[in-house]
Amino acid sequence: MSVDEAVTTRGDDGADEPGWEVDPDDESGVAMAATVGRQIKAWREAAGMRAGEFGAAIGYGEDLVYKVEGGRRIPRPEFLDRADEVLGAGGKLAMLKRELAEVRYPKKVRDLAKLEARTIELEAYHHHNINGLLQTEEHMRALFASWLPAYTHDEMERVVAARLARRSVFDRTPAPSLSFVQEEVTLRRPVGGTMVLRGQLERLLELGRLRNVAIQVMPTHREEHPGTGGLIEVLKFPDGSAVGRSEGAFSGRPVSDPKQLRILGLRYGMIRAQALTPRESLAFVEQLLGET
């Protein structure tokens, strides 16, 4: 699973209800949801309220109340705010929003965000879509809206929020070295329409001018290059370790073995060499923006 695919993990059971499903394979998420659920139930019972009565008071159904209290559903922030007010918890339930803020995202995305928070160097070649870290919110929404089966409103908000949260990598101090190579076609595809594309191209220019960011474009007219086998991603850490993945190598599985990482590094290095330079790429994006 790529860094961008990771954010699209979804569940269908109860997707139309306010809140987020708990991934049974996510041990920390399961534990946190269970703890929060028990606290809500304890406060409700101490207030002498039945589940249905409590649900009506905060504007949610009885079934959702039981799911939240049973740790099977992660409540949305507004659920906790209303519960705190109705039960007179004095902020004790509302403050649980901080604990739930992380587990509301899929585990794979949380793990990825932790890796990106540690990385001192990121290398990413993308050929189908613009890298998720580079996307505007409008581009994300348009991109996710095209997926089938269609996302519900709550699912859309969850995946967009998760992807937006990862952009904190650009605000880190000290700043990591971030290198992106994008196929030309990903910059020409008008995902979301002309105005969304213009906003996306402007975002690329903004990020490409940062001193620690290099964005390069692989021209479509290149006859061949090592990226034709699919995306390549490598994250490097302060202790000298790294993790990488490529659709065209090692069955697409993440790898950390030095020999395998050297292969990915060799391929990515050649891709960068065959792409336009960062300065040429910015000029190319400016030209596209002028034509759009």
Side-chain angles (χ1 to χ4, degrees):
M1 180 170 290
S2 75
V3 294
D4 289 330
E5 289 170 330
V7 76
T8 61
T9 302
R10 57 189 296 190
D12 295 324
D13 182 27
D16 58 335
E17 298 177 350
W20 297 278
E21 287 295 319
V22 179
D23 182 353
D25 296 325
D26 179 2
E27 294 182 2
S28 61
V30 169
M32 179 57 67
T35 298
V36 170
R38 286 195 297 268
Q39 292 191 49
I40 293 174
K41 182 178 182 181
W43 278 96
R44 174 180 64 78
E45 292 179 340
M49 299 182 73
R50 296 180 180 275
E53 180 185 3
F54 170 60
I58 64 174
Y60 294 95
E62 180 179 7
D63 184 56
L64 178 62
V65 171
Y66 279 127
K67 286 185 177 180
V68 169
E69 292 184 349
R72 302 190 306 277
R73 192 86 176 164
I74 299 172
R76 296 177 70 94
E78 54 267 29
F79 181 106
L80 293 171
D81 287 335
R82 291 289 295 137
D84 191 277
E85 178 183 348
V86 169
L87 298 176
K92 292 183 175 63
L93 291 178
M95 70 184 298
L96 295 175
K97 291 184 291 186
R98 290 193 299 244
E99 283 72 14
L100 289 174
E102 181 177 321
V103 298
R104 66 177 177 167
Y105 303 136
K107 184 176 185 298
K108 290 185 175 66
V109 178
R110 300 204 311 271
D111 292 343
L112 171 61
K114 290 177 181 177
L115 289 176
E116 289 175 342
R118 291 175 48 220
T119 188
I120 59 171
E121 186 176 347
L122 180 149
E123 301 173 335
Y125 161 73
H126 276 232
H127 61 311
H128 286 319
N129 297 306
I130 293 174
N131 185 288
L133 291 173
L134 303 176
Q135 294 173 9
T136 64
E137 180 175 347
E138 294 75 19
H139 183 101
M140 295 176 197
R141 291 184 179 279
L143 190 63
F144 289 138
S146 68
W147 285 46
L148 292 175
Y151 283 116
T152 65
H153 173 75
D154 284 339
E155 288 177 315
M156 176 71 79
E157 294 307 309
R158 186 183 192 188
V159 296
V160 169
R163 182 162 291 186
L164 287 173
R166 289 175 47 217
R167 299 201 306 193
S168 62
V169 70
F170 293 108
D171 303 321
R172 281 179 41 204
T173 303
S177 174
L178 307 174
S179 169
F180 304 90
V181 179
Q182 290 286 155
E183 283 289 341
E184 176 183 338
V185 65
T186 66
L187 309 185
R188 291 186 178 275
R189 184 176 295 119
V191 174
T194 300
M195 295 311 296
V196 173
L197 176 58
R198 286 188 59 85
Q200 180 60 69
L201 294 175
E202 290 170 352
R203 175 64 173 170
L204 293 176
L205 291 174
E206 175 189 348
L207 293 175
R209 294 187 179 113
L210 297 177
R211 294 180 62 185
N212 64 310
V213 177
I215 298 176
Q216 296 179 246
V217 177
M218 178 64 76
T220 300
H221 63 71
R222 291 285 190 266
E223 294 183 0
E224 57 183 27
H225 63 78
T228 54
L231 66 84
I232 295 174
E233 297 162 337
V234 178
L235 286 79
K236 301 179 182 179
F237 309 112
D239 62 1
S241 63
V243 62
R245 177 183 178 271
S246 171
E247 289 179 340
F250 319 120
S251 301
R253 296 188 303 271
V255 297
S256 57
D257 179 83
K259 293 182 179 179
Q260 295 171 324
L261 289 170
R262 278 198 294 273
I263 293 174
L264 297 185
L266 175 64
R267 293 182 181 179
Y268 187 75
M270 184 59 69
I271 288 172
R272 288 198 67 180
Q274 292 180 275
L276 300 178
T277 68
R279 179 173 295 183
E280 292 170 340
S281 296
L282 287 180
F284 181 80
V285 174
E286 288 179 335
Q287 178 184 332
L288 287 182
L289 182 59
E291 297 172 353
T292 303

